[in-house]
């Protein structure tokens, strides 16, 4: 009877050895004289979970244990440097040194899908490192044409990689790996980009843990999209006055995220100052939010730039996180009802929009 069952399983393409697998086993065969302590950390709905630790000797190591379902896991050095990412389930994995880095062999369908994404990511990283080296040489030679050519070349590589990733998201819309990939990079995405990827996912994937993380991020990003009422915040101005965004009365409000150490911010300040002087009496109020870490550097820059408008310092980046500020200068334009009109306008575009709003 047992032989008949085994034969039937083989016909179905199921190996008895796989069915008997009660846990996972990760074997490292990296070669060389690599050594040191390693830790295996899983990512779950409860947060980071330590799944095991071991010592690597001459590039060899082993982890074993068990998990439920599929769990993203990271092999880290004791300095918390990542060695590899594994879509971990109760199967066998082997890590070997490849041309483009450490390769993960074995595992299940989720690992195969992850590896396809990794091929794209590693290609971009390899080209980026190569171009950074060429860029440093071009900068030393003050070769602006070469620098511009490198920027255009990398932009094309990034665009091609994005297109390939989109194809994979469509192909694997029902895999949790796609949701995990999107959730891992969503902090760098705006609402439209993230919503586009989320809408590609199948219903079951949208309902899983990573799908729900993306949905919550979308809800937060929606609050800072044009047309939404901007989240309120509070701060203390350089004059010692406690104010809130919603409490400031003005027909048009400009929130300007900046810092004393930000070159582009300082370059834009004369334009901001000109706009303030020209439109303040007509109903414009500016609230500067500095991301400086030291009060003296903030106040020194304010004096140097002769800032006459409201200004506060956000040393813990609380306000910046509220508005998902990923780079500065960053501006948010709001109407008298605190509804967001536009974001990231500068120069002539900023003045044109403010003038248009104040005419209405």
């Amino acid at each position: 009877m047992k032989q008949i069952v085994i034969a039937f399983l083989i016909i179905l393409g199921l190996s008895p050895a796989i069915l008997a697998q009660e846990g996972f086993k990760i074997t490292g065969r990296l070669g060389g004289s690599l050594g040191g302590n390693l830790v295996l950390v899983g990512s779950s709905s409860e947060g980071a979970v330590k799944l095991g630790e071991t010592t690597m000797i001459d590039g060899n190591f082993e982890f074993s244990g068990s998990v439920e379902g599929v769990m993203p896991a990271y092999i880290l050095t004791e300095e918390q440097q990542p060695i590899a990412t594994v879509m971990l389930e109760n199967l066998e994995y082997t890590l070997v040194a490849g041309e483009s880095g450490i390769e993960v062999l074995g595992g299940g369908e989720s690992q195969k899908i992850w590896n396809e994404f990794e091929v794209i990511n590693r290609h971009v990283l390899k080209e980026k490192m190569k171009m950074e080296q060429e860029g440093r040489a071009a900068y030393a030679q003050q070769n602006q044409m070469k620098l511009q050519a490198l920027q255009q070349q990398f932009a094309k590589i990034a665009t091609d990689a994005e297109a390939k990733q989109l194809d994979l998201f469509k192909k694997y819309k029902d895999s949790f790996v796609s949701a995990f990939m999107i959730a891992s990079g969503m902090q760098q995405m705006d609402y439209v980009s993230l919503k586009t990827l989320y809408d590609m996912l199948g219903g079951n994937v949208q309902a899983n843990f990573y799908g729900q993380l993306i949905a919550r991020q979308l809800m937060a990003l929606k609050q800072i999209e044009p047309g939404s009422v901007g989240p309120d915040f509070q701060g203390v101005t350089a004059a010692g006055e406690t104010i809130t965004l919603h409490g400031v009365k003005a027909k048009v409000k400009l929130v300007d995220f900046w810092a004393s150490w930000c070159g582009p911010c300082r370059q834009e300040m004369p334009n901001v100052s000109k706009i303030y002087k020209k439109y303040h009496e007509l109903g414009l109020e500016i609230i500067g939010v500095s991301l400086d870490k030291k009060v003296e550097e903030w106040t020194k820059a304010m004096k140097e730039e002769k800032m006459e408008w409201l200004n506060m310092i956000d040393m813990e980046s609380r306000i910046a996180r509220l508005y998902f500020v990923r780079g500065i200068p960053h501006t948010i334009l709001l109407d008298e009802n605190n509804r967001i009109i536009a974001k990231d306008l500068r120069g002539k575009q900023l003045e044109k929009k403010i003038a248009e709003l104040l005419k209405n």
Side-chain angles (χ1 to χ4, degrees), residues 172-219:
Y172 299 120
K173 63 184 180 68
D174 294 315
S175 170
F176 104 98
V177 175
S178 292
F180 173 70
M181 279 289 298
I182 296 169
S184 298
M186 67 184 178
Q187 294 299 330
Q188 303 304 317
M189 298 183 201
D190 59 23
Y191 177 81
V192 174
S193 300
L194 186 58
K195 184 71 163 60
T196 299
L197 294 179
Y198 178 74
D199 288 344
M200 289 182 183
L201 299 175
N204 290 337
V205 177
Q206 288 183 351
N208 75 18
F209 171 66
Y210 293 104
Q212 291 176 27
L213 282 182
I214 300 167
R216 286 198 290 271
Q217 179 79 347
L218 282 170
M219 289 177 63

Side-chain angles (χ1 to χ4, degrees), residues 111-173:
Q111 185 64 48
K112 293 176 184 176
I113 295 172
W114 174 261
N115 289 346
E116 288 190 50
F117 280 106
E118 276 285 84
V119 169
I120 299 171
N121 293 336
R122 289 186 178 189
H123 172 69
V124 173
L125 181 60
K126 179 181 177 181
E127 292 300 316
K128 181 175 182 288
M129 293 175 66
K130 176 184 174 184
M131 290 182 189
E132 283 178 347
Q133 186 175 2
E134 293 181 25
R136 284 191 290 269
Y139 181 79
Q141 298 168 3
Q142 297 186 343
N143 189 339
Q144 295 299 322
M145 290 184 64
K146 178 65 174 178
L147 287 171
Q148 187 175 7
L150 287 171
Q151 289 175 347
Q152 293 173 349
Q153 187 179 347
F154 184 74
K156 184 180 184 307
I157 290 172
T159 300
D160 291 345
E162 183 178 336
K164 290 177 181 177
Q165 283 190 333
L166 284 174
D167 288 341
L168 289 183
F169 285 131
K170 292 174 184 176
K171 181 179 179 181
Y172 299 120
K173 63 184 180 68

Side-chain angles (χ1 to χ4, degrees), residues 30 195 200 203 238 266 357:
L30 306 183
K195 184 71 163 60
M200 289 182 183
R266 302 293 291 266
L357 292 170

